């Protein structure tokens, strides 16, 4: 590649909407440089399925938090998230990515 | 005094209840009919804005009275006490976990503003008048039940070994959310604005908040029917019978308690009917959200299905006429 | 009897058509004006709720008649037969694939509820009255065309070698979707509620469903203009000329067929105009969705562009005045 | 002539301003109250549709006059010149970067349609009448300020070494966006439709665009309060004092300039009040979007917080009564 | 890392909205333990571009289904999806991820 | 695996909404075969946090562009995106994925 890229991690957290502020607070505490929250429309898990237009308020809805982070910070982030996603409905996955502006993460 | 059968019939054949039934039907035949979440949310804000404002204007016209404070206090007390009764009954009759009993009980102490709104329509149709401050009572009854329920749930929990920074931060968050949750804030805010601007204010915006009100309510109840029906299809079969029964008798118990208080305070028939309805109704927006935060171990498939799928339709179709009849009887 | 020119002029200069034109214009100059999807969807539900309810109330007042059943039967027949004619014409004049011909034909057998609604306004403006049950006819005409078109498309397909579990599951899904799709359900449901609650029900909610109706229709047509314009910009240049021509003469053919039936049944001028409009209109919500499921090989860039970009504007601007004139002539 | 205190009091106690205050309050106590974006966007379209249409109808009734063209020209000139003044003042009093000064200045040359709409209500409440063409003036004043500001910003920039294909493509995009941005298009389009359809058109849709107008405005201002409050909580503390001061005196300066022109042209008191309000108001939708595209280096936390968090509330609460008083004084 | 993570797969399916129920039914049949559906706003492909606010109903819109799954189950899932995304407009991609609660997938 | 998959790249671009048309134009210029735009609800970065319902118009909002592409085309795409995400608020990450229909990318 003529353009240099840098290895980072992409953390994806599917979390029930009412607990979102806890997740973002946890990311803040763990030193994540940023995150973006994506809405979800519907889903299924062990607890049955849900649809956005079939709920009042936040309960029962899932949102998806994406956080690009340096690999070094990942253990701290996962550590902070673990109790949260054990108490609340939540799924955390981490993937390898390449970014073009290393200084941001 | 209208006969109970008459009120019930008027109620069941009102466009509001029929649109709710249409929503239920649509969900049972798995139709793709749905109301976007953004619209449902805004209609909820609209209903609270309209009912709050109207109540404030009425209070401004009537002036505050000693009764007002008596009912506010009675409302808060009912909201705080009902979860204790509910928790006791669930403990005696069901095998639900402690946390689930507490969570369910919280819903029945708090209120459903849409049930209240539907009752105001039925009360008006029945030819009764009610006091504007009932809206303030509704706002006051939203939250005490949550606090009672949290205490009930926590009494059963061992103190956590390690202090949880997240829990601490959350607890502050939770109290603020309970005090300033959007329903309470919108109801109270619109109520105060109505009080301040009075009749001239109402005249300015009545083509928005008064005239189309029932029509918007129909659309909202259509959505409620869709959602309640989907909840029922998904979860009601799995609810234990004693829990389903609770969803039917608990509102009546709450209503009777409120009827006694209404009699003691000396409310008019219309106001008593609404106060009874508040006690009898169960929350399905504010309390579930608070429970997910405070008691995530409690299962929403129990409390939401019960409140939205069992108690709400029961109140809408049969409860409200009964509460009106009860109010006319005790006052 | 009003002259056709007069009706056309009244129609073209109505706020509804002008807001549609504004939408078209905005899309051609690539403005960022847009109406959020959630709002467009809710306005569609609103329009069906309002028109359905009103029709039901009118039927309750007028009482059912033999004509009612004759028109319902005629409507279903027209919807089922028009795709055969359309398919034949497309086969004779265009080089479209069989599956595309079937899919296009389905749209012209089915109906566009917004075209119908716009026609009710034009009919009223022209001083004519129409029967409330026409709304039931609209609901009945939504789906038969889909079934005819699927048969047309499948006759040309070899039976699949291996049975497809997905297809089987889908087919059940598809029938349910056709029978209970949200348009049919909302129209019919509101119609029945209107019938049940009658005039008193209408009085309760008319400030919501009657008074602002035309205004909402303007906003909806603005959005239709935006969407049709973007469709046209993207796809119309690529449609073969015989196909574009089909989008213009097919509605007229459907209208003439319906005019004959309306004369035979003895409809009033206003009712005939609406029945003709139903036959002439082409679906752009329910049928496209069904086609994506049942005939995914058919190209939406053909059927959607034709129905929404060519036929809808034609009907709105010129078709409706012509159908009114036609109805006045044959009745 | 009403006293300024009276106008101010009427204004501050109107439901509109009180709902804005409720929104501010809700954001300060961190309530979860919010209005979905799709609804806010549609309410903005609705307000422009309604105000545009009404203005067009009024112009159709009144007929065009020489004054009309004088005010249009004056409006365009004010919009183009105010950024120069604003830029100069910011250069003299603050340490903002050139690009930030230009971006802020652009907002004050352009207009806020909601401030305008709120002023129409206050003007009417104060018993004054205004000319319908003021809406056309509003549309004309949206964009010239952007062009001036871009010139101001670019004068300070070195020409880029390598030509940027993206920038070229963008610049065309930008001009189209400025000319046909949704506010300009909706205002102008509805204005023209109102002119064409006149009174009969207005009668058709007035239950949608006139009657509920103030109520919708209340809901919209509630949302504005929420958004402005969140902006303030996040960013106002960080704004340098001279910049905050600019957000308070710049609207007054713009208003005074417009008052002089209004006097010269000979506008009526009501029209003058609206013209002054336009000059005094600062954009927070169209200009920020244009700035993100054209001057991405300028910080939205400065210009948005200033326009939405400082100037908008100031104008809504205190500015408008002052502008009305000013208009009554100079005419 | 002090926190143990487990390798899983993240399947992402971009599918035209009307066919969504077929995709989720296929995931159910193939034994996926759950999925989440994300909305999309706009897109472009060979068939031109689309925008959410520029369509009536579902046709022409894309939604994005995310399914975290055990690697073992992936072939079955892809097998079941293949005929679907060949008939309908659809794109399937699979990525490696690490999760913290292996028992969920 | 019984089903053949092909290695491709998944490019994810978080970009402020007003600059979206520039990003998609850049993808077009760089020869991407397609992309899908996902909405976002909220986020935080160095510049503070934002929420969808707390903004008027597009400014301040982020959208997420997903583009599945052949590895060969990635350098050209990143090259074209780089000046954009340096001028505008934007984050680009690239991940390895497997797809089932290679001919599409
Ligand atoms: N394997 C999975 N992949 C993606 N999303 C999932 C998965 N499992 C669960 N989810 C999401 O998490 C929600 C709750 O899951 P559960 O607690 O298992 O019912 C579901 O409704 C989905 O939206
Ligand atoms: N390479 C790609 N990356 C991401 N999304 C794509 C890609 N190609 C197509 N899409 C999405 O799939 C839709 C249909 O693609 P197509 O069938 O190629 O027109 C597009 O409108 C995009 O939303
Ligand atoms: N590390 C990150 N991971 C995911 N999204 C991010 C990250 N950093 C920033 N963002 C998004 O980009 C937006 C602007 O970032 P910034 O320019 O750093 O304020 C934020 O509001 C987030 O939505
Ligand atoms: Na209660
Ligand atoms: Na037809
Ligand atoms: Na200005």
């Amino acid at each position: 590649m003529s353009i240099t890229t840098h290895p980072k991690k992409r953390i994806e957290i599917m979390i029930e909407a009412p607990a979102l502020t806890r997740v973002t607070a946890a990311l803040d505490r763990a030193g994540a440089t940023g995150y973006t929250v994506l809405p979800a429309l519907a889903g299924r898990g062990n607890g049955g399925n849900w649809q956005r237009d079939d709920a009042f308020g936040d309960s029962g809805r899932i949102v998806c938090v994406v956080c690009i982070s340096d690999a070094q910070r990942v253990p701290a982030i996962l550590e902070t998230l673990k109790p949260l996603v054990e108490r609340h409905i939540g799924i955390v996955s981490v993937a390898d990515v390449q970014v073009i502006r290393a200084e941001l993460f | 005094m209208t006969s109970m059968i008459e009120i019930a019939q008027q109620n069941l054949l009102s466009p509001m209840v029929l649109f709710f039934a249409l929503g239920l039907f649509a969900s049972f035949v798995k139709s793709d009919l749905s109301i976007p979440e953004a619209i449902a949310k805004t209609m909820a804000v609209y209903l609270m804005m309209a009912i709050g404002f109207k109540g404030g204007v009425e209070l401004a016209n009537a002036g505050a009275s000693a009764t007002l404070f008596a009912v506010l206090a009675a409302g808060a007390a009912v909201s705080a006490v009902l979860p204790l009764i509910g928790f006791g009954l669930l403990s005696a009759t069901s095998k639900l976990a402690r946390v689930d009993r507490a969570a369910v009980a919280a819903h029945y102490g708090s209120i459903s503003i849409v049930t209240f709104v539907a009752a105001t329509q039925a009360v008006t149709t029945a030819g009764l008048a009610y006091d504007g401050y009932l809206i303030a009572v509704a706002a006051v009854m939203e939250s005490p039940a949550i606090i009672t329920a949290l205490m009930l749930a926590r009494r059963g929990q061992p103190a956590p070994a390690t202090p949880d920074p997240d829990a601490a931060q959350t607890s502050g968050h939770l109290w603020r959310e309970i005090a300033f949750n959007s329903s309470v804030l919108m109801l109270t805010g619109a109520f105060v604005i109505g009080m301040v601007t009075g009749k001239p204010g109402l005249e300015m915006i009545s083509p928005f908040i008064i005239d189309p009100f029932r029509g918007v309510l129909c659309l909202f109840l259509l959505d409620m029917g869709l959602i309640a029906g989907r909840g029922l299809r998904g979860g009601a079969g799995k609810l234990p019978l004693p829990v389903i029964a609770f969803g039917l008798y608990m509102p009546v118990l709450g209503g009777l308690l409120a009827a006694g208080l209404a009699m003691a305070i000396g409310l008019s028939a219309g106001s008593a009917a609404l106060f009874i309805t508040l006690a009898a109704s169960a929350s399905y927006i504010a309390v579930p959200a608070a429970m997910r935060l405070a008691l995530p171990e409690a299962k929403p498939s129990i409390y939401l299905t019960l409140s939205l799928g069992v108690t709400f339709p029961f109140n809408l179709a049969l409860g409200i006429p009964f509460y009106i009849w009860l109010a006319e009887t005790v006052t």
Side-chain angles (χ1 to χ4, degrees), chain A, chain B:
Chain A
M1 288 200 197
S2 65
I3 197 164
T4 343
T5 60
H6 314 269
K8 300 281 166 188
K9 297 284 180 180
R10 179 184 188 274
I11 308 172
E12 187 177 80
I13 308 148
M14 310 265 187
I15 187 79
E16 52 172 332
L20 174 62
T21 49
R22 295 193 189 184
V23 165
T24 56
L27 290 173
D28 292 351
R29 278 204 307 279
T33 58
Y35 53 80
T36 299
V37 186
L38 309 180
L41 275 183
R44 184 180 64 75
N46 303 322
N49 48 11
W50 63 274
Q51 268 193 285
R52 188 185 52 178
D53 292 346
D54 283 1
F56 273 109
D58 269 354
S59 26
R61 264 170 47 207
I62 299 284
V63 292
C64 175
V65 185
V66 175
C67 170
I68 312 276
S69 171
D70 200 275
Q72 285 194 331
R73 225 172 278 114
V74 170
I77 291 178
L78 296 187
E79 205 78 67
T80 328
L81 288 174
K82 199 167 188 203
L84 261 175
V85 294
E86 269 161 7
R87 264 198 112 196
H88 289 283
I89 300 173
I91 288 172
V92 181
S93 64
V94 183
D96 290 312
V97 293
Q98 299 280 329
V99 304
I100 50 183
R101 295 198 296 161
E103 72 280 9
L104 292 180
F105 310 96
Chain B
M1 211 182 104
T2 0
S3 87
M4 192 179 142
I5 304 291
E6 244 175 281
I7 308 178
Q9 188 188 328
Q10 263 178 358
N11 186 54
L12 282 172
L13 295 184
S14 72
M16 292 95 199
V17 174
L18 291 173
F19 273 106
F20 180 77
L22 177 60
L24 278 183
F25 176 77
S27 71
F28 284 128
V29 300
K30 297 192 188 172
S31 166
D32 62 333
L33 184 63
S34 76
I35 306 289
E37 186 217 353
I39 302 292
K41 196 174 164 185
T42 307
M43 287 196 292
V45 169
Y46 167 84
L47 294 177
M48 290 183 295
M49 174 183 179
I51 197 101
F53 193 92
K54 207 170 143 241
V57 172
E58 272 160 27
L59 183 59
N61 291 342
S65 65
T67 320
L68 160 60
F69 297 100
V71 194
L72 283 175
V78 165
S79 173
V81 168
L82 277 182
L84 296 173
I85 303 179
F87 186 83
L89 287 166
L90 284 170
S91 305
T93 62
S94 82
K95 289 180 201 137
L96 294 185
R98 180 178 192 95
V99 77
D100 285 321
R101 279 175 280 151
V104 168
H107 290 70
Y108 287 79
S110 183
I111 60 136
S112 147
I113 200 72
V114 179
T115 311
F116 175 78
V117 163
T120 62
Q121 304 301 311
V123 161
T124 310
T125 307
L128 303 175
Y130 60 90
D131 295 302
Y133 58 68
L134 262 296
I135 282 92
V137 178
V140 158
M141 291 177 73
E142 284 250 2
S143 308
I146 299 177
I147 299 165
T148 306
L150 292 190
M151 285 173 3
L152 284 170
R154 285 199 179 142
R155 192 169 299 184
Q157 282 176 345
T162 52
D164 178 358
D166 168 59
Q169 181 241 3
T170 293
S171 147
H173 183 79
L174 188 68
W175 295 127
R176 198 181 51 244
E177 201 164 81
I178 289 175
F180 297 118
N181 91 57
S182 56
S183 314
V184 173
L185 204 118
M186 195 65 211
L187 270 182
T188 318
F191 186 83
V192 170
I193 297 178
M195 255 173 58
V196 171
T197 61
K199 258 232 164 87
L202 183 63
E203 262 157 37
M204 280 189 188
I205 65 172
S206 80
F208 179 63
I209 64 166
I210 305 290
D211 302 349
F213 186 80
R214 288 174 186 220
V216 175
L217 185 56
C218 285
L219 195 56
F220 192 78
L221 285 171
L222 173 72
D223 189 36
M224 294 276 305
L226 287 165
I227 295 175
R230 277 168 203 161
L232 276 177
R233 249 181 44 211
K238 293 171 205 148
L239 287 183
L241 218 66
V243 175
I244 297 184
F246 178 88
L248 300 172
Y249 66 71
M250 186 65 204
V252 176
L253 278 186
L256 288 172
L257 176 64
L261 290 166
M263 197 161 63
I265 299 174
L267 289 181
S268 72
S271 293
L274 293 187
F275 186 54
I276 294 171
T277 302
L278 284 174
S281 71
S283 171
Y284 49 83
I285 302 184
V287 178
M291 291 301 116
R292 283 315 298 156
L293 272 184
L295 303 177
E297 301 81 10
K299 292 184 209 65
S301 58
I302 298 177
Y303 55 70
L304 249 187
T305 310
L306 197 63
S307 163
L308 192 55
V310 176
T311 302
F312 180 77
F314 166 75
N315 273 337
L316 189 68
L318 303 177
I320 289 175
F322 171 68
Y323 307 141
I324 294 179
W325 174 84
L326 184 63
E328 290 189 313
T329 307
V330 301
T331 53

